[in-house]
């Protein structure tokens, strides 16, 4: 438990550090290097278009990241009228929840808070993912994946121009790291260039991981399930996939896709149902 609590503090700091490094590299290294092409017009230059795209992706990723943390399970506990002296009981599914809570809630020992429709505990946000912040979490994974892949493409373009190498061969990216390490220790490669090359593989790993996690989470939503229910072998009531999507994303799903907003509709509908 001590290791998990330490990870719950270190993982968000690690994510914020990676985000800051990515932002600095994009703004002060990759985008300025694109202005060197004199054949393009200033209005439609690749630097401005790429800069606008990166700012849009990073703003959505960080905005949804903040909303995931803001919509904490502690607020859900207040909505369920949980008192400080609420008795903790064991449900048949093995979860521990306050006695005044609904059987669909779960008590996370790491957070010491209650989550309705508990999915999992995310260490990178230091928060549990449930019914209230599920949409923002999916949007966070989606835009983080896109921002990493965008940084990967910009970084490869920068390395290609700096080192005068081509990535037309698919094996060129796979052999880039071992060749760069040997050149770095021989003094033929600068430390800044080596750092960018290491970040390329980090962006690739984070981007693919977030994309895969987002696709898996969407598949569970279409089935009306959560990761916690699948892990515990709990049977859920079969519903049309459109209703499952609307419960998570709401009717104004397009607004949440473009800008980071709270899913207010689902909260209001859930309160009316009570």
């Amino acid at each position: 438990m001590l290791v998990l609590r330490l990870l719950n503090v270190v993982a968000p700091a690690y994510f914020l550090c990676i985000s800051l490094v990515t932002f600095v590299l994009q703004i002060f290294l990759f985008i300025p290097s694109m202005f060197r092409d004199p054949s393009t017009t200033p209005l439609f230059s690749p630097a401005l278009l790429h800069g606008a795209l990166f700012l849009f992706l990073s703003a959505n990723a960080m905005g949804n990241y903040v909303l995931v943390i803001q919509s904490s399970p502690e607020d859900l506990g207040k909505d369920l009228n949980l008192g400080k002296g609420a008795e903790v009981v064991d449900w048949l599914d093995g979860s521990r929840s306050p006695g005044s809570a609904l059987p669909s809630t779960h008590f996370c020992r790491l957070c010491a808070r209650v989550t309705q429709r508990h999915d999992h505990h995310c260490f990178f946000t230091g928060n549990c993912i449930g019914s209230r912040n599920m949409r923002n979490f999916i949007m966070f994974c989606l835009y983080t994946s896109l921002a990493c892949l965008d940084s990967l493409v910009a970084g490869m373009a920068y390395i290609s121009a700096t080192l005068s190498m081509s990535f037309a061969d698919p094996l060129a990216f796979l052999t880039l790291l071992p060749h760069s390490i040997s050149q770095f220790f021989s003094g033929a490669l600068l430390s800044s260039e080596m750092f960018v090359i290491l970040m390329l593989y980090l962006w690739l790993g984070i981007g693919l991981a977030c994309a895969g996690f987002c696709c898996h989470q969407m598949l569970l939503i279409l089935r009306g399930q959560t990761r916690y229910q699948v892990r515990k072998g709990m049977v859920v009531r079969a519903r049309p996939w459109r209703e499952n999507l609307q419960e998570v994303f709401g009717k104004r799903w397009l607004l949440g896709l473009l800008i980071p907003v709270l899913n207010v509709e689902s909260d209001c509908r859930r309160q009316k149902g009570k």
Side-chain angles (χ1 to χ4, degrees):
M1 183 62 67
L2 180 61
V3 176
L4 294 179
R5 292 186 181 277
L6 181 62
L7 182 62
N8 201 40
V9 176
V10 174
Y14 173 77
F15 171 77
L16 293 176
C17 180
I18 294 298
S19 302
L20 180 61
V21 171
T22 302
F23 184 81
V24 171
L25 288 177
Q26 284 271 17
I27 298 300
F28 296 101
L29 191 63
F30 299 159
I31 296 178
S33 65
M34 298 178 184
F35 279 103
R36 299 173 184 175
D37 188 3
S39 61
T40 58
T41 58
L43 184 60
F44 299 100
S45 63
L48 292 179
L49 296 178
H50 173 77
L53 177 61
F54 174 73
L55 290 178
F56 171 76
L57 297 177
S58 57
N60 275 275
M62 294 305 300
N64 284 285
Y65 181 82
V66 172
L67 291 179
V68 169
I69 300 176
Q70 182 181 356
S71 304
S72 62
E74 188 177 6
D75 297 331
L76 292 176
K78 295 177 182 178
D79 294 338
L80 293 172
N81 297 322
L82 301 177
K84 293 183 179 179
E87 181 184 0
V88 177
V89 297
D90 289 317
W91 295 105
L92 295 178
D93 60 359
S95 62
R96 292 174 58 84
S97 301
S100 57
L102 300 175
S104 60
T105 61
H106 171 70
F107 178 77
C108 178
R109 296 182 179 180
L110 190 60
C111 291
R113 294 184 251 180
V114 177
T115 313
Q116 188 177 5
R117 282 190 61 83
H118 175 81
D119 188 86
H120 69 285
H121 180 88
C122 177
F123 289 98
F124 286 99
T125 59
N127 203 359
C128 280
I129 307 302
S131 58
R132 193 171 182 179
N133 54 8
M134 175 59 73
R135 185 183 74 170
N136 296 116
F137 177 75
I138 294 177
M139 291 295 100
F140 160 68
C141 292
L142 174 63
Y143 281 106
T144 299
S145 175
L146 295 177
C148 287
L149 296 180
D150 176 81
S151 300
L152 174 64
V153 173
M156 291 176 62
Y158 173 79
I159 291 298
S160 177
T162 304
L163 303 181
S164 300
M165 61 178 301
S166 175
F167 289 98
D169 186 5
L171 296 178
F173 184 79
L174 298 178
T175 58
L176 176 62
L177 183 60
H179 289 170
S180 301
I181 293 177
S182 61
Q183 292 179 1
F184 174 74
F185 285 104
S186 63
L189 195 65
L190 299 177
S191 58
S192 59
E193 297 171 347
M194 185 64 197
F195 180 76
V196 172
I197 293 174
L198 293 176
M199 290 297 299
L200 293 180
Y201 290 91
L202 184 61
W203 288 326
L204 178 63
I206 296 177
L208 293 179
C210 289
F213 195 89
C214 184
C215 293
H216 180 256
Q217 203 71 42
M218 285 298 300
L219 181 61
L220 291 178
I221 291 175
L222 292 174
R223 295 177 178 177
Q225 294 178 311
T226 62
R227 290 167 58 90
Y228 178 76
Q229 292 173 341
V230 173
R231 187 172 69 252
K232 293 293 182 178
M234 301 170 62
V235 180
V236 297
R237 180 170 59 90
R239 295 188 307 174
W241 61 270
R242 294 181 182 272
E243 294 184 7
N244 297 328
L245 282 178
Q246 184 175 344
E247 182 180 7
V248 176
F249 293 93
K251 294 182 179 180
R252 301 179 180 178
W253 58 271
L254 184 59
L255 181 63
L257 186 63
L258 298 177
I259 58 176
V261 293
L262 286 172
N263 197 358
V264 181
E265 289 186 358
S266 297
D267 294 341
C268 295
R269 186 169 56 252
R270 197 175 295 112
Q271 292 176 359
K272 290 181 180 179
K274 295 178 183 179

